[in-house]
Amino acid sequence: MALEIIRVINEPVSSNCFLLFDREVNNDCLVVDPGCEIPDVLDRKLSELRLWPKFIVLTHEHFDHIWGCNALVQKYHAQIICSTICSEAIQDAKKNHSMFYNQKGFVLPPADICVEDIDWTWEWNGKQITFSLAEGHTNAGIYFRIGKNLFTGDTLLKDLKTVTKLFCGSKDKLVVTIDQIKKLQGEGLRVYPGHGDCFDLDSYDLNKAF
């Protein structure tokens, strides 16, 4: 079974949204971090590819990664997957930082599925997805692995230091999370970050995150 991954650039704040699907199984789609304020681009891409977004995975609670969720939930009845702390934060316009962006803010419904364990495995379309908690950028973050693909949100970005100065961020906790990710080096993983270009984990200096 061949997993396909499509990147969609969120707007107006440039962040990454990813669409995961396997045509050999069905047209169901896993959407990672849909952060467009007006998700027309994402909706057109879903229509173009004839995909049905059944699940949404949020790597963390910040508005530029969750802005398009309400539209997907309303139109497709998509279910949200994130950490328990993230589920609480997306329901608060201050904690998800949307209030500070435009003084209006928005909230999401609570998650349908919460990731609570350090390494929690979930099966989707015959594939195993392993979720791990990722504190540092925020205390609500997760990263996850599916096959040889690692989705890190804002925990690990190419050639950029991870921001830890926002609400609930911690450099000390980031060190612990990056140490966990270091254990995955040598397995030929491709990293799909929350911003910027994708990269190979094996050839990357993880100390750039600090």
Side-chain angles (χ1 to χ4, degrees):
M1 294 182 286
L3 178 70
E4 294 186 58
I5 302 172
I6 300 292
R7 181 172 71 159
V8 177
I9 305 299
N10 293 317
E11 298 176 346
V13 180
S14 180
S15 60
N16 291 333
C17 170
F18 297 102
L19 309 179
L20 284 62
F21 58 97
D22 186 341
R23 295 285 191 200
E24 296 179 15
V25 179
N26 53 39
N27 288 335
D28 286 352
C29 174
L30 193 71
V31 181
V32 181
D33 289 354
C36 283
E37 179 182 16
I38 302 174
D40 291 352
V41 173
L42 175 57
D43 205 38
R44 285 197 298 270
K45 180 61 70 173
L46 291 169
S47 297
E48 173 190 326
L49 297 172
R50 301 186 305 280
L51 296 174
W52 186 270
K54 193 169 184 179
F55 295 100
I56 302 167
V57 177
L58 302 180
T59 60
H60 61 293
E61 74 274 26
H62 293 158
F63 74 96
D64 56 324
H65 294 262
I66 69 172
W67 224 336
C69 281
N70 282 328
L72 294 178
V73 170
Q74 291 169 10
K75 182 174 181 177
Y76 299 99
H77 306 290
Q79 296 186 48
I80 298 174
I81 303 172
C82 64
S83 73
T84 300
I85 299 176
C86 181
S87 179
E88 296 171 356
I90 59 179
Q91 300 176 67
D92 187 311
K94 290 184 178 179
K95 290 183 179 179
N96 69 32
H97 290 201
S98 62
M99 181 64 74
F100 306 114
Y101 179 76
N102 60 11
Q103 288 73 56
K104 296 179 182 179
F106 66 90
V107 298
L108 302 186
D112 300 279
I113 301 173
C114 287
V115 178
E116 299 185 20
D117 298 328
I118 294 177
D119 290 299
W120 178 65
T121 301
W122 179 65
E123 185 173 320
W124 170 74
N125 275 358
K127 297 175 174 61
Q128 296 293 317
I129 301 180
T130 301
F131 295 91
S132 299
L133 300 181
E135 295 184 304
H137 179 61
T138 168
N139 66 347
I142 59 172
Y143 62 91
F144 70 93
R145 174 179 177 175
I146 177 169
K148 293 293 185 179
N149 309 292
L150 185 67
F151 294 81
T152 60
D154 288 1
T155 294
L156 185 62
L157 307 173
K158 185 178 181 182
D159 298 327
L160 291 173
K161 292 184 182 297
T162 302
V163 175
T164 58
K165 295 181 180 180
L166 300 176
F167 179 71
C168 289
S170 168
K171 185 173 181 179
D172 289 340
K173 290 182 178 179
L174 177 65
V175 171
V176 174
T177 299
I178 295 301
D179 282 344
Q180 293 174 355
I181 295 176
K182 282 180 180 179
K183 297 176 183 177
L184 299 176
Q185 287 190 309
E187 298 188 25
L189 300 182
R190 183 72 172 167
V191 176
Y192 295 81
H195 298 265
D197 295 332
C198 303
F199 57 97
D200 294 326
L201 184 64
D202 290 353
S203 59
Y204 190 73
D205 179 5
L206 294 177
N207 292 320
K208 291 182 179 180
F210 309 119

